[in-house]
Amino acid sequence: MDNNKKLAFGKKNYRLMLLGIVVLILGFTLMTMDKEQYGFGLLGLTVGPVVVMAGFIIQFFAIFAKSKETK
């Protein structure tokens, strides 16, 4: 067995993934904080979904970012 197995992603990738997860949680939390009925206010329809989309975009870049450690 090879003891020098490398992880699939580098440290930069994992940090970006963690940041993306935090942004996703923040976006979903913002959507639940909307006081309008059925979430039809500004937080539920505009701000929250934009933050969630930003979290998914960060995740996309975290997966496809080149790391100096993985070659």
Side-chain angles (χ1 to χ4, degrees):
M1 293 211 162
D2 186 26
N3 291 334
N4 294 328
K5 291 184 179 181
K6 293 188 178 193
L7 297 175
F9 298 112
K11 189 182 290 188
K12 173 184 169 184
N13 299 89
Y14 287 117
R15 286 183 180 169
L16 279 172
M17 284 181 195
L18 185 62
L19 175 68
I21 290 171
V22 169
V23 172
L24 283 169
I25 291 171
L26 176 69
F28 284 117
T29 304
L30 282 173
M31 284 193 278
T32 62
M33 291 171 53
D34 196 359
K35 299 298 181 199
E36 294 292 322
Q37 186 177 15
Y38 303 116
F40 287 146
L42 179 69
L43 288 176
L45 287 178
T46 307
V47 178
V50 169
V51 174
V52 169
M53 183 59 71
F56 281 119
I57 291 171
I58 292 170
Q59 291 292 352
F60 176 80
F61 282 114
I63 292 170
F64 288 105
K66 294 279 186 189
S67 180
K68 294 177 185 177
E69 299 156 3
T70 57
K71 289 185 179 182

